Amino acid sequence: MTWWGGAHWQRAVDVALGAALATIFLVSGAVVSVPLAVAQLLPLAWRRHAPQVVLALVGGATAAHTLAGMSRSVGFLPVTLALYSAAAHRSPWIRWGTCGTATAVVVAASGLRHGPVEGGLLAVVVCVVAWLAGVERGEHVRERTAYAAENTRLRWEQTAARQTAAAAQARERLSRRLHDTLAHTVTVMLVQAEALRSTASLAPADRDRLDRVLAAGREALADVRAALADQAEADPAATLADRLRALREAGLRLPPALPDGLDDLPAPARALAHRLIGETATNALRHDGVGSRLDIAVDRDDDALTVALTSSAGRATGGPAPRGAGFGLRSLAVDVEAHGGTLRHGRSDGSRWRVVATLPLRPPG
C-alpha cells in the first residue's frame, strides 16, 4: 500500500488536521485553560476508532472551556469534528444518543456563557450542521461498502459460472472421446462375438464361456452409456454382487458370501469398501488366472474398518504373473486417502498379492 492510499492517507490527514487545530488555538488567543484545550484536541487522534468516547471527552471539555471564557468561533472546531465522526457511525445509539447528548451539553454551556441567541442558537446551528454532514458521509460510506460487497459477490458468481462452464466443456470432451473410442470398440467386440456364437460350432462349455463374454460386454456398454448420460450410480452392494457373480462364472474362487460388517457402514466408507473388493477381485482373475482364489477378511470396531484381500494363483506351475498397482488401485488409493484412510498393497509370502485398506468410521476431531 502506498503512503497516499488507505489507512496511511487517513493518518496523514489526521496529523495535518491536528496540527492545524493546535496552531489555530495558539495564534487565536482562544485558549483560556491549557489543560482544557489539550482535552479538546488530543482525543481527536482516536476519533476514527472510538468516536463515541472521543465525542464525550471533547464535548465535555468544550463545554467546560466555554464556561471558562473560550472564544466560540475557534473553540467549537474540535467538537464539530468529533460530531462529524460520530454521526457517520452505523449505530443509531451513537448517531442519536451520544451526538444528541454532546450537542445538548455544548449548547447549554454556550447559552449560559453568551446568552440564548448569540450563544445557544449559534451552538445549535454549528452542531446540527456538523451532525448532518457526518450522517450524510456515513450513508455514503455504507452505500459504497454495500456496492463493493455486491461487486465482489458478482465477481465470485462469475468466476464460479466460468469454472462450471469449463468443467461442463471438459466433461463433454471426455464424453465424446468415450463415445468415439470405448463405446465404439465395445460395440464392435459384441457384434463379432454375436457373429461367432451364431456361425461357429461350439462345445457347450465354450458356448457358456462366450455367453459370459457377451454378458460382460453388454454390461460394460451399458455402464459407458450411463456414464455419458450422467445417470445416478447404481447401489454399490448390487453392483458388487453382479461383478462377483460374473467373476465366479469366469473361474475366480471366492467365499460364498461377503464377511459381516459391510452392510451398515456409512455411505462413503461402504462405497469405498465395495469398490475395493470389486477391483481386487477383477485383478486377481486377470493376473492370477482361472482357478485363482481371493480371500476376504473384515476387521471392524467403533472407529475404523479394515478390509484385507489376499489372492493366490490358480496355475499349476509357475508363479503369478508380474503386476503392480494399476489405474484402479491408484484411483482407489487417492479416494481412500481423501476419506482419511490408508491403502497398502504388495506381495505377501512371495506368491500372494495382498491389499489392505483402513477406513475411518468417525469424522476427525
Side-chain angles (χ1 to χ4, degrees):
M1 182 182 294
T2 62
W3 171 259
W4 294 106
H8 289 166
W9 181 85
Q10 292 180 351
R11 284 196 290 269
V13 170
D14 289 342
V15 170
L17 187 58
L21 285 176
T23 303
I24 291 174
F25 263 58
L26 289 175
V27 301
S28 65
V31 177
V32 176
S33 170
V34 173
L36 290 176
V38 172
Q40 284 182 269
L41 296 173
L42 187 60
L44 293 176
W46 293 274
R47 64 188 177 88
R48 300 183 189 276
H49 305 287
Q52 68 276 25
V53 177
V54 170
L55 178 58
L57 295 175
V58 173
T62 300
H65 210 171
T66 300
L67 293 174
M70 178 190 64
S71 173
R72 289 165 294 175
S73 58
V74 176
F76 283 170
L77 289 177
V79 75
T80 56
L81 184 59
L83 268 170
Y84 173 79
S85 299
H89 201 276
R90 68 174 59 250
S91 171
W93 294 101
I94 296 176
R95 289 201 309 269
W96 294 94
T98 306
C99 292
T101 302
T103 299
V105 170
V106 172
V107 168
S110 184
L112 289 174
R113 178 66 183 176
H114 302 287
V117 177
E118 293 185 0
L121 185 58
L122 178 62
V124 168
V125 172
V126 171
C127 291
V128 169
V129 170
W131 180 81
L132 288 175
V135 170
E136 182 67 22
R137 176 182 177 273
E139 291 295 330
H140 174 70
V141 169
R142 284 187 286 276
E143 288 177 0
R144 187 172 59 187
T145 302
Y147 179 74
E150 180 66 15
N151 280 346
T152 301
R153 184 185 65 82
L154 290 176
R155 286 196 296 270
W156 276 106
E157 290 180 352
Q158 291 170 356
T159 301
R162 287 194 297 269
Q163 292 174 346
T164 301
Q169 292 174 358
R171 181 177 178 81
E172 184 178 355
R173 288 194 298 269
L174 178 60
S175 298
R176 287 198 300 267
R177 288 188 59 189
L178 286 173
H179 180 270
D180 295 340
T181 56
L182 183 58
H184 175 74
T185 302
V186 174
T187 301
V188 172
M189 292 170 58
L190 286 174
V191 171
Q192 294 297 322
E194 291 278 8
L196 178 63
R197 190 180 187 282
S198 301
T199 59
S201 298
L202 300 174
D206 294 334
R207 184 175 293 274
D208 290 341
R209 188 174 295 111
L210 184 57
D211 287 341
R212 287 195 293 269
V213 171
L214 286 170
R218 294 189 188 101
E219 183 179 352
L221 187 59
D223 290 341
V224 171
R225 288 172 175 168
L228 294 179
D230 199 16
Q231 296 178 0
E233 293 184 4
D235 178 59
T239 301
L240 178 62
D242 292 341
R243 191 170 185 177
L244 295 182
R245 175 183 52 78
L247 291 172
R248 282 193 185 95
E249 294 175 354
L252 179 65
R253 292 185 297 161
L254 289 164
L258 293 177
D260 295 333
L262 296 175
D263 294 332
D264 57 341
L265 291 170
R270 184 167 175 259
L272 284 173
H274 284 79
R275 281 180 55 199
L276 175 68
I277 294 173
E279 177 66 23
T280 307
T282 301
N283 289 343
L285 181 63
R286 181 168 67 245
H287 295 293
D288 293 336
V290 176
S292 58
R293 178 178 179 82
L294 179 68
D295 296 317
I296 306 172
V298 173
D299 184 16
R300 177 179 175 181
D301 56 27
D302 294 337
D303 298 323
L305 169 77
T306 300
V307 181
L309 303 107
T310 306
S311 64
S312 55
R315 296 180 175 84
T317 58
R323 65 180 179 184
F327 176 77
L329 281 180
R330 288 199 302 269
S331 176
L332 270 168
V334 172
D335 292 342
V336 168
E337 290 175 3
H339 186 71
T342 59
L343 177 64
R344 304 185 306 275
H345 50 78
R347 293 291 181 195
S348 175
D349 298 333
S351 61
R352 295 184 176 185
W353 182 261
R354 184 173 175 82
V355 179
V356 180
T358 302
L359 301 171
L361 300 181
R362 290 183 178 178

